[in-house]
Amino acid sequence: MELKDGRAVVLDGSGGFREVSARTEWRAGDVVPLPGARTRPGRWAGLAACLVLLLLGGCGWLWLSPAALVSLDVNPSVELTLNRFDRVLSARAMNDEGLGLLDAGGVKGMTADAAVSTLLGSGYLEPYLERENAVTLTVQSGNAATETRLLVLVDSAAGASVDAGTRVSCHGVDRSVVEAAHGHGVTAGKYLALMELQEADPEIDISEYAHCGIGEIEEQTERCHTAESGTGVSDAPADGASAGCGQGGRHGHGH
């Protein structure tokens, strides 16, 4: 965060960020009273104060610059851009269902694991989870340690947020995978699922499945593998897969 034009961004006691009017004497690391906060008698005022994160000059990038990208797919597909402190800078819906999920509850300013827990715990997502029975997450970061840490965090958060029978998969991806996914209008997680489907059946046009849920894509991939093994099971698309499994088109919505 930075001090600019008399404004400052502060980290409040709940872990969220607020923009407030700054005083000229404030410096990075100061603990200051938060406007509108109430203090309790006999307790240190810091309980209702905020740490001023005034990253002056070239230090503002520490908080404001993207450091990682987390995607979450059920059928709602969303991407979370994180800063160096694993906080959500922005959330983007990659289809109409994803837009509905973000509208149901904001995650900006949350830590990555809290955001994943919030999204997976949303009542809006419940019917999709029941239908798909699968969650896919990906993490992309230019820093290997950051990627590893985030994979552990989001995997743990997801596992604790869904029923035991729901499949949860987490993958680390590089920037080229994210860019390829965006070229198809999907997240990296859904793109990986579509690539597995295409590997199982090279004749498949993956654009016909881009709007499908993760569980539906995985089921179709399994059908293709089963047919290839010669067990006699048809490789026809899963119910509604080619005609419209799910109703979301391929979009990108900022949030």
Side-chain angles (χ1 to χ4, degrees), residues 175-202:
R175 188 63 194 174
S176 65
V177 174
V178 174
E179 292 174 351
H182 288 175
H184 288 275
V186 299
T187 63
K190 182 170 284 190
Y191 180 74
L192 293 178
L194 291 171
M195 289 299 97
E196 290 183 5
L197 174 58
Q198 191 170 62
E199 182 178 354
D201 185 353

Side-chain angles (χ1 to χ4, degrees), residues 119 121-127:
L119 293 172
S122 169
Y124 177 89
L125 194 61
E126 186 174 353

Side-chain angles (χ1 to χ4, degrees), residues 156-175:
S156 177
S161 302
V162 297
D163 294 337
T166 301
R167 300 185 303 278
V168 176
S169 59
C170 295
H171 311 274
V173 298
D174 59 32
R175 188 63 194 174

Side-chain angles (χ1 to χ4, degrees), residues 44-88:
W44 182 48
L47 291 174
C50 289
L51 178 66
V52 182
L53 302 169
L54 311 179
L55 303 183
L56 307 177
C59 296
W61 60 273
L62 285 171
W63 285 91
L64 296 177
S65 294
L69 186 70
V70 172
S71 72
L72 184 152
D73 282 277
V74 179
N75 188 24
S77 296
V78 301
E79 289 183 339
L80 308 176
T81 298
L82 310 179
N83 65 14
R84 289 175 177 266
F85 298 88
D86 301 342
R87 295 278 180 172
V88 178

Side-chain angles (χ1 to χ4, degrees), residues 1-9 20-28 52-57 60 64:
M1 266 103 356
E2 67 183 321
L3 177 62
K4 185 177 181 181
D5 298 328
R7 306 293 293 175
V9 176
V20 298
S21 296
R23 297 182 181 178
T24 56
E25 67 270 19
W26 285 1
R27 295 293 182 270
V52 182
L53 302 169
L54 311 179
L55 303 183
L56 307 177
L64 296 177

